[in-house]
Amino acid sequence: MNVVRKAVLPGLTVVAVAVAPGVAMAAGPAAAAAAPPRGPAETAYVADAGSVTVTPINTATNKAEHAVRVGGDPQAIAITPNGKTAYVVNHGAGTVTPIDTASNKAGPSIKVGPGPRAIAITPDGKTVYVANSGSGTVTPIRTATNKAQPSIKVGLGPRAIAITPNGKTAYVVNRGSGTVTPIDIASNKAGPSIKVGAGPRVITISPSGKTVYVANVGPGTVTPISVATNKAGPSIKTGKRARAIAITPSGRTAYVANAGSDTVTPVTTASRKAGSPIKVGRTPWAIAITPDGRVAYVVDHRSGAVTPINTATRKAGAPIKVGQRPMTIAITPDGKTAYVANTGSGTVTPIDIATNEAGPAIKAGASPWAIAITP
């Protein structure tokens, strides 16, 4: 989808943030009490792949609101920068459904290509890009009209997409081709594909906008790409089945979740060197970093837990029990709460970031798959 950016796709970071060196992994109760009060409540939108619905959750009360009917097998979701519209990718239906966040009403579905998997929205909020895995294309949608534009040919099985902070280029991960295709946003023209590793699955872009990082499941590597030249640098070895990646807001460190090694590898971006792997739970599947950069939260899919990593010390804390087969994670813009979608339980678990304690599970359909939170 995937982002993030607000788009949260399986394995695709859709919400990542930064780290202050030398701070404890979780603030204590005193620090929490001194924090400024939360502003107007954001809404977490949860796409349920097991049904045809999206469940809005009020983040102030952690209460689920009435589910919104969308299309078949919704698997990805992204929210416009102004927070007014959530766009839901319906993998089974080959459509995208816009939801008005003020009313939580769905608009008419927009036809894209077969098997859409991922979504990203330009920083100016004018264009939505949808990667269609079944046709090897990307469909742009103008948000002013909710009309799809002519599809853009990319590689085989496009699975993830990310847009540079300056809004000039969209990078599309083609899992079947082992490539990344850059799209010029001004012209909607695809450039020459860039060879990366086998089975690339997720992508993120440094906060500076200078480097794209692609995690390759097959060889367990990360490939950096220069945005200035669209040339790939030497791949960085991380661990088996590199499945997710997130970068601190400072841009100094990328954290890579290795689903086959049960580890997370920190990569120093300046030197492009991998650090010592950090042991987490079984099958780390997704990762998100708090807005202050202090903690990386790792979703351990087969453990039913989330492991917090102190980014200053690179030490893992005690796992936080969530639901069965957790899939994705998103963090509120104020950095107070992480929300974890548990596909096996049909629930979302909120985690208080100040205490690293899980709150009561929130029912969110049959198989919640992706989460995005309003800005």
Side-chain angles (χ1 to χ4, degrees):
M1 101 171 62
N2 21 158
V3 303
V4 220
R5 294 253 177 250
K6 284 286 182 189
V8 182
L9 313 178
L12 191 124
T13 96
V14 304
V15 181
V17 252
V19 225
V23 241
M25 179 161 41
R38 185 196 290 274
E42 299 96 5
T43 301
Y45 286 87
V46 184
D48 176 18
S51 71
V52 292
T53 61
V54 167
T55 300
I57 295 173
N58 183 310
T59 62
T61 63
N62 282 337
K63 300 295 184 185
E65 300 176 3
H66 290 295
V68 183
R69 191 171 181 84
V70 289
D73 194 14
Q75 289 194 8
I77 187 166
I79 298 174
T80 53
N82 64 11
K84 292 184 176 181
T85 310
Y87 286 89
V88 184
V89 173
N90 306 307
H91 176 69
T95 61
V96 169
T97 302
I99 296 174
D100 182 330
T101 59
S103 64
N104 281 338
K105 301 293 185 185
S109 289
I110 305 157
K111 193 69 180 171
V112 290
R117 286 274 190 183
I119 185 170
I121 301 176
T122 54
D124 62 11
K126 292 182 178 179
T127 310
V128 174
Y129 286 89
V130 181
N132 307 303
S133 62
S135 59
T137 62
V138 168
T139 302
I141 298 169
R142 300 297 184 204
T143 58
T145 61
N146 280 339
K147 300 294 185 186
Q149 305 301 299
S151 291
I152 304 160
K153 194 69 180 171
V154 289
L156 296 176
R159 203 53 190 271
I161 187 166
I163 296 173
T164 53
N166 63 12
K168 291 185 176 181
T169 310
Y171 286 89
V172 183
V173 173
N174 307 306
R175 190 178 183 192
S177 303
T179 61
V180 170
T181 301
I183 296 173
D184 179 84
I185 286 174
S187 65
N188 276 339
K189 300 294 185 186
S193 289
I194 304 159
K195 195 69 180 171
V196 289
R201 194 177 182 101
V202 292
I203 185 169
T204 191
I205 299 175
S206 63
S208 68
K210 293 181 178 180
T211 309
V212 174
Y213 294 90
V214 181
N216 308 300
V217 174
T221 60
V222 169
T223 302
I225 298 170
S226 167
V227 170
T229 63
N230 280 339
K231 301 293 185 187
S235 291
I236 305 158
K237 189 70 180 172
T238 58
K240 293 179 182 177
R241 294 180 61 211
R243 181 62 175 68
I245 185 168
I247 300 179
T248 56
S250 66
R252 294 174 183 170
T253 309
Y255 285 85
V256 184
N258 309 303
S261 303
D262 297 341
T263 60
V264 168
T265 301
V267 175
T268 301
T269 57
S271 64
R272 295 184 177 173
K273 299 292 185 185
S276 299
I278 303 162
K279 194 69 177 172
V280 290
R282 296 172 63 200
T283 319
W285 205 255
I287 188 166
I289 301 174
T290 53
D292 62 11
R294 297 181 180 187
V295 187
Y297 285 95
V298 183
V299 174
D300 303 320
H301 183 64
R302 294 183 65 191
S303 297
V306 170
T307 300
I309 295 174
N310 182 323
T311 57
T313 63
R314 295 183 176 177
K315 300 293 185 185
I320 304 160
K321 199 68 181 170
V322 290
Q324 296 176 17
R325 297 198 306 279
M327 176 68 73
T328 49
I329 184 169
I331 297 174
T332 54
D334 62 12
K336 292 185 177 181
T337 310
Y339 288 88
V340 182
N342 308 302
T343 58
S345 305
T347 60
V348 170
T349 301
I351 296 173
D352 185 319
I353 288 174
T355 63
N356 277 340
E357 292 180 357
I362 306 160
K363 192 64 183 171
S367 183
W369 196 269
I371 306 177
I373 300 175
T374 52

